[in-house]
Amino acid sequence: MRAHSTLLPLLASFVLVPPALARVPTDPWLSEFGGTPDLSFSGITTFAHLPHSRCLDRPDTPFDVAILGVPFDTALSFRPGARFGPNGLRSGSRRQRPERGYSSVLGINPYMTGLNILDCGDVPVNPFDTPTAIKQINAAYRSMLNHPVASEEKMRELNMQKGLDGEYHPRIIALGGDHTIVLPILDAVHDTYGPVSVIHFDAHIDTWNPNRYYGSVSVQAGVNHGTFFWHAYEQGFIKHNASIHAGIRTKFSGPVDLTDDVTAGFDLVHTMDIDEHGVEWIAEKIKARVGDGPVVISLDVDVMDPAYVPATGTPESGGWTTRELRWILYNLMGLNIVACDVVELSPAYDTNAEISAIAAADIVYDFLAMLAIGVKGQDASSASAPASGGHTADEL
């Protein structure tokens, strides 16, 4: 027995081991650091480190909310550079991430509510041909709206409004790009939901009649970031007398500009109203104006004072602080939002600390929170929601 027991180790030494297995060492990274998540400053830059897909090339990709860059800036009147806005916004969002997105003010982490949120990359708009670029934006947005939602149950739970076809459609947050991108976006949204109300945060009204707008020397020149809402009004994309500007402080050619603005269906909140009336008054005026129907929120970063957001194409002094603007948005939670955008960020004019990009990215976070909180106070799931009337939303 003793001889047999000493023979076993000797035989074991001659067992054939496949050469590939014999030469594989333990991987030095995986063995000690495998699975380490990217930090805020590492990894491929998507918005808030969200998963990425080229959604325009994959029309069957499901999602509930998409981040979509629109790097267009060939219809500007002053400083160019907004084509780099989507990249700047993603860079400004690097300290956001889904697993650390809880707001102690709102009591929610919009990334962790069950909504499937995806960064769908950018629309590859043509920088040489503005009419073609506008067609591309419109086609891209229509395509995105036709993607399947990831969770109809979640959309129903949040009381999201269905389209005119009786189906749920994803919500898209567009990253501009100059403000002209909203015209082809409104065209696509109108086809899905019918005429919509617009909450327009901006230093400028953007309803200038192209027949009176300086520089409109041709039909195409008359479609720009100062006239697009006038065109949207003329084409019936905007619900009559149910839209509002907030943060206005630009100079005008005269009273006729304001008359045209009323004709286009807008009321306005002046930037100075915050000092006389306060945030809650502004929010209540906005809610009373837009009512319970489908709403598009379009936010030009120049609504904020250039001390806080210098990186924009047409800065105006005397704007709201970042905190004041975000507090207004917090008081708008519960509206029937069908689309959002943040536009006119021009990173070339930002500080080295990216203060503009960080502020703009936080506004996108607030939009995500608004969508994650859902529609309050009424049944918005039907496409035939009331066109007017008061809307009571939860105050935060």
Side-chain angles (χ1 to χ4, degrees):
M1 291 294 294
R2 184 174 302 159
H4 180 68
S5 64
T6 57
L7 184 61
L8 289 177
L10 182 62
L11 292 173
S13 66
F14 290 103
V15 175
L16 295 178
V17 178
L21 294 178
R23 291 197 300 267
V24 174
T26 303
D27 185 89
W29 174 263
L30 291 176
S31 63
E32 189 170 0
F33 303 110
T36 302
D38 278 313
L39 301 175
S40 57
F41 48 82
S42 66
I44 303 300
T45 304
T46 64
F47 190 88
H49 302 270
L50 287 167
H52 167 259
S53 175
R54 286 180 59 88
C55 301
L56 293 175
D57 294 331
R58 302 181 179 98
D60 295 329
T61 302
F63 52 81
D64 300 316
V65 181
I67 305 294
L68 181 69
V70 189
F72 169 91
D73 69 352
T74 54
L76 289 162
S77 60
F78 194 45
R79 301 193 306 200
R83 68 181 62 182
F84 300 107
N87 183 66
L89 273 154
R90 291 186 175 100
S91 180
S93 75
R94 285 176 298 175
R95 291 195 66 245
Q96 297 184 38
R97 57 187 316 118
E99 60 270 24
R100 194 174 179 181
Y102 180 79
S103 167
S104 60
V105 177
L106 299 175
I108 192 172
N109 178 348
Y111 300 109
M112 296 292 190
T113 62
L115 284 173
N116 183 293
I117 308 173
L118 197 60
D119 187 331
C120 285
D122 293 346
V123 182
V125 294
N126 190 304
F128 310 116
D129 184 341
T130 297
T132 295
I134 289 175
K135 289 180 182 178
Q136 289 177 313
I137 296 166
N138 179 256
Y141 209 92
R142 288 173 187 272
S143 175
M144 295 287 288
L145 285 172
N146 286 331
H147 276 248
V149 297
S151 174
E152 287 197 8
E153 181 179 352
K154 188 63 181 179
M155 302 291 275
R156 189 179 303 110
E157 175 189 326
L158 294 174
N159 209 16
M160 296 287 195
Q161 178 157 332
K162 293 180 179 179
L164 297 173
D165 58 0
E167 302 293 334
Y168 288 110
H169 295 267
R171 293 330 189 233
I172 302 163
I173 300 178
L175 312 180
D178 84 49
H179 220 149
T180 314
I181 70 169
V182 174
L183 179 58
I185 286 174
L186 285 174
D187 185 358
V189 170
H190 173 264
D191 272 5
T192 303
Y193 297 101
V196 296
S197 299
V198 175
I199 301 173
H200 176 219
F201 290 96
D202 204 317
H204 315 89
I205 55 174
D206 296 345
T207 54
W208 276 282
N209 186 326
N211 295 324
R212 287 189 278 272
Y213 193 72
Y214 181 78
S216 297
V217 296
S218 67
V219 173
Q220 186 54 51
V223 180
N224 57 63
H225 75 158
T227 64
F228 66 93
F229 274 136
W230 180 267
H231 291 288
Y233 145 69
E234 288 196 316
Q235 295 179 48
F237 302 156
I238 299 175
K239 190 182 301 181
H240 187 60
N241 290 335
S243 296
I244 189 168
H245 311 290
I248 301 300
R249 60 190 186 279
T250 190
K251 301 172 183 66
F252 298 97
S253 300
V256 67
D257 291 342
L258 295 171
T259 300
D260 286 342
D261 190 55
V262 172
T263 300
F266 281 83
D267 195 358
L268 66 81
V269 173
H270 195 278
T271 187
M272 303 301 183
D273 287 335
I274 200 166
D275 299 302
E276 185 173 356
H277 300 292
V279 165
E280 288 78 10
W281 179 90
I282 291 172
E284 288 303 320
K285 181 172 181 177
I286 291 171
K287 289 188 286 189
R289 179 69 174 181
V290 301
D292 296 331
V295 174
V296 172
I297 301 182
S298 183
L299 191 144
D300 186 327
V301 298
D302 71 21
V303 70
M304 292 174 276
D305 192 89
Y308 301 89
V309 178
T312 189
T314 49
E316 304 278 359
S317 66
W320 289 332
T321 68
T322 310
R323 184 181 68 254
E324 288 167 340
L325 175 62
R326 297 187 71 189
W327 189 236
I328 293 170
L329 292 176
Y330 291 173
N331 278 272
L332 296 179
M333 297 290 168
L335 290 179
N336 184 12
I337 299 165
V338 295
C340 307
D341 62 80
V342 175
V343 298
E344 299 280 352
L345 178 71
S346 296
Y349 311 108
D350 211 350
T351 68
N352 289 340
E354 295 184 296
I355 60 172
S356 306
I358 292 169
D362 281 340
I363 298 301
V364 175
Y365 171 90
D366 293 337
F367 286 167
L368 288 169
M370 296 173 92
L371 294 174
I373 286 173
V375 183
K376 301 293 181 69
Q378 57 133 7
D379 180 10
S381 60
S382 169
S384 57
S388 61
H391 179 197
T392 303
D394 291 341
E395 294 297 332
L396 297 169

